[in-house]
Amino acid sequence: MTSTGKIRLGALAASCLLPALAFAEEAAAPAVPKLDTGDTAWILVSCAMVLLMTPGLALFYAGMVRKKNVLSTMMQSMFMMGLISLIWVWYGYSLAFSPGHSMGGFIGNFDFLWLNGVSSSTASPLAPTIPHLVYMAFQMMFAIITVALISGSVADRFKFSAWVAFAILWSTLVYNPVAHWVWSPNGFLLAKGALDFAGGTVVHIISGVSALTACLILGPRKGHGKENMLPHNMTYVLLGTGLLWFGWFGFNAGSALGANGIAAVAFVNTNTAAASAALLWSLIEWVRNGKPSALGFASGAVAGLVVITPAAGFVSVQSAAIMGLLVSLVCYGAIFLKEKLGYDDSLDAFGVHGVGGTLGAILTGVFASSAVNPVVTKTGWALVMVQLEAVGWSWLIAVVGTFVLLKLVDAIFGAKVAPREEELGLDLTQHSENGYEI
């Protein structure tokens, strides 16, 4: 063969080997996740679903108060959609999720102030297949509803100006630190192995325990235990329950941060826990009172949604059903005990969210399985003890933070409306409007 022929043969062989060599290099290099349109679309939809939960909560709470307070009760939730959104964009997201040095994993810094470096074209550090901006927006919806949940314990008596001031302080100094502890890579509870899939500690424990603290500080409503304070519009309550149940699929399944198998598990677990809790609560009432109530069904459904939140992507469907049954028993007992103790948690924010969230966090340690989700590395008593520690820290900051902040707000604004204003109703005295012009 001539030298020219050898050169051509060598070139041909090289051209055949190049794709194989390139493939080998690609296989050897670690895969770099890319932004995924399917994941991004699902989280954007989940954002909208979680935001819808706040109007759903507004209806749920508004139906349970007297008609003279329906508008003010809704405003305490709806106003958070504006207030907390701006706080989150300004500095809240940075304090909760900034990657820079934090005080021993206690809180973040201002690296993301005014969303500096939070782009729609770069991936989130915590969700590499969705844009950073989308992850920020998803977390914002959680921050909004968590503050709104507290209002259920202080309905009918919290001055609106004081509520707004308290919401700003509480979101900054209670919610942001706990979100950092549990969900930020620098968080000290995450480093210990605490599991919270979608907000058992971050959302429900701190809001529910803060709700209990707030109602004890404010004291009972005028006429509590003497006047008729039954729900004025159960159709609102049931409509709100339906919106919450619907939005909770975004809340829990969206927390998989992608359109994947874990999202499917969380989706089915969410529905299963809510269904089992609602049915058992109704059955308990049927046996005790002779008839099931719409309020009982709604309360059971929400309790089931609460208890499964920290565990949604970590447990089997069978475990979710058991958790729903257990939370009905425990939360029903907590609300029954409230009547015996006499404290005025107006709309059972603590009895459902505080108690249900605490139970859910602990049961996550009992039922979490690596067969369901490989991120579960601890099981048994080791995980239960970590979950108990996370519960303890969440209770501590909720009680201390709420006590200090509400006392401060009360000293400046006066947190509770005057007796005459309470008698006239907060719709008129706080907003110069009526919920019903009939």
Side-chain angles (χ1 to χ4, degrees), residues 75-239:
M75 274 291 285
Q76 286 178 341
S77 291
M78 297 292 290
F79 199 79
M80 296 303 103
M81 294 170 68
L83 180 67
I84 304 302
S85 291
L86 289 182
I87 289 175
W88 194 250
V89 168
W90 179 14
Y91 64 84
Y93 178 68
S94 190
L95 289 179
F97 289 98
S98 59
H101 175 71
S102 59
M103 297 184 296
F106 183 81
I107 197 167
N109 57 26
F110 293 109
D111 284 355
F112 292 151
L113 189 68
W114 277 119
L115 302 187
N116 174 53
V118 180
S119 168
S120 62
S121 59
T122 57
S124 164
L126 299 176
T129 62
I130 65 174
H132 198 172
L133 194 65
V134 173
Y135 180 80
M136 181 283 303
F138 184 63
Q139 291 295 344
M140 177 170 61
M141 306 313 170
F142 286 73
I144 291 168
I145 195 170
T146 304
V147 183
L149 286 169
I150 302 171
S151 66
S153 70
V154 291
D156 296 357
R157 60 201 189 275
F158 208 135
K159 188 183 296 184
F160 191 71
S161 58
W163 167 247
V164 171
F166 173 75
I168 294 171
L169 293 171
W170 190 90
S171 174
T172 303
L173 299 173
V174 177
Y175 181 83
N176 290 336
V178 179
H180 189 80
W181 297 353
V182 178
W183 286 337
S184 170
N186 296 332
F188 78 93
L189 288 178
L190 182 64
K192 290 175 178 288
L195 296 178
D196 188 352
F197 191 77
T201 50
V202 180
V203 176
H204 297 296
I205 290 180
I206 62 171
S207 65
V209 174
S210 294
L212 174 64
T213 307
C215 81
L216 292 176
I217 293 172
L218 284 186
R221 290 166 289 182
K222 188 174 184 293
H224 176 250
K226 300 176 183 178
E227 299 178 10
N228 180 5
M229 296 184 180
L230 292 174
H232 89 283
N233 192 330
M234 277 305 305
T235 57
Y236 281 9
V237 176
L238 287 179
L239 180 58

Side-chain angles (χ1 to χ4, degrees), residues 410-435:
D410 187 36
I412 297 173
F413 296 95
K416 192 174 183 180
V417 298
R420 177 58 177 166
E421 292 178 314
E422 190 175 345
E423 186 177 334
L424 291 171
L426 273 63
D427 288 3
L428 186 62
T429 62
Q430 301 302 299
H431 304 288
S432 298
E433 296 173 299
N434 287 313

Side-chain angles (χ1 to χ4, degrees), residues 208-385:
V209 174
S210 294
L212 174 64
T213 307
C215 81
L216 292 176
I217 293 172
L218 284 186
R221 290 166 289 182
K222 188 174 184 293
H224 176 250
K226 300 176 183 178
E227 299 178 10
N228 180 5
M229 296 184 180
L230 292 174
H232 89 283
N233 192 330
M234 277 305 305
T235 57
Y236 281 9
V237 176
L238 287 179
L239 180 58
T241 302
L243 290 173
L244 285 169
W245 197 325
F246 171 79
W248 227 291
F249 291 121
F251 201 87
N252 286 356
S255 293
L257 300 175
N260 51 43
I262 299 300
V265 170
F267 192 104
V268 175
N269 283 345
T270 298
N271 196 67
T272 302
S276 62
L279 291 179
L280 181 57
W281 198 300
S282 296
L283 180 61
I284 293 171
E285 287 193 333
W286 214 330
V287 171
R288 290 192 75 244
N289 305 326
K291 297 176 183 178
S293 71
L295 181 60
F297 178 86
S299 299
V302 174
L305 293 165
V306 168
V307 77
I308 197 59
T309 293
F314 301 132
V315 303
S316 67
V317 177
Q318 294 81 4
S319 297
I322 295 171
M323 291 176 71
L325 297 176
L326 291 174
V327 80
S328 262
L329 295 171
V330 173
C331 287
Y332 187 93
I335 293 173
F336 180 79
L337 185 61
K338 178 193 78 168
E339 304 300 329
K340 298 297 182 182
L341 295 176
Y343 66 88
D344 190 12
D345 177 8
S346 311
L347 311 181
D348 296 319
F350 171 71
V352 173
H353 296 276
V355 173
T358 298
L359 180 66
I362 296 170
L363 291 180
T364 299
V366 175
F367 291 115
S369 169
S370 58
V372 176
N373 192 325
V375 304
V376 178
T377 56
K378 291 183 179 180
T379 55
W381 280 111
L383 181 55
V384 170
M385 293 305 295

Side-chain angles (χ1 to χ4, degrees), residues 217 399-409:
I217 293 172
V399 171
V400 175
T402 301
F403 181 86
V404 172
L405 296 177
L406 190 51
K407 285 291 186 180
L408 176 64
V409 168

